[in-house]
Amino acid sequence: MSRKYVIINADEVSSVDFDQVDETSESTLRFSLDGSKTLVKFDSDIIPSFLEGKTQYSHSEILTILATDEWTSPPE
């Protein structure tokens, strides 16, 4: 079993079952800089039903995504 990461649109947060992911509430989610997307992570081999059909990322893949300008402000 390995941790999986899924990016969802911010308007989908209301469908997140926080009992099935590692985050505990909306306030613990990391959002993109424009607030349009967030990500959730889970450690189960069983995909939470509300995430079915969505792209899953590994730890190294999500780190690459989070390093982009969409998620991280460039250093000044």
Side-chain angles (χ1 to χ4, degrees), residues 25-43:
S25 69
E26 183 175 350
S27 65
T28 61
L29 295 172
R30 176 174 176 176
F31 285 85
S32 58
L33 294 179
D34 68 4
S36 67
K37 297 177 185 173
T38 188
L39 66 99
V40 293
K41 55 187 174 285
F42 60 97
D43 288 318

Side-chain angles (χ1 to χ4, degrees), residues 7-10 29-39 65-76:
I7 295 172
I8 61 172
N9 292 323
L29 295 172
R30 176 174 176 176
F31 285 85
S32 58
L33 294 179
D34 68 4
S36 67
K37 297 177 185 173
T38 188
L39 66 99
I65 292 168
L66 295 178
T68 66
D69 291 345
E70 184 176 15
W71 292 89
T72 303
S73 296
E76 295 184 19

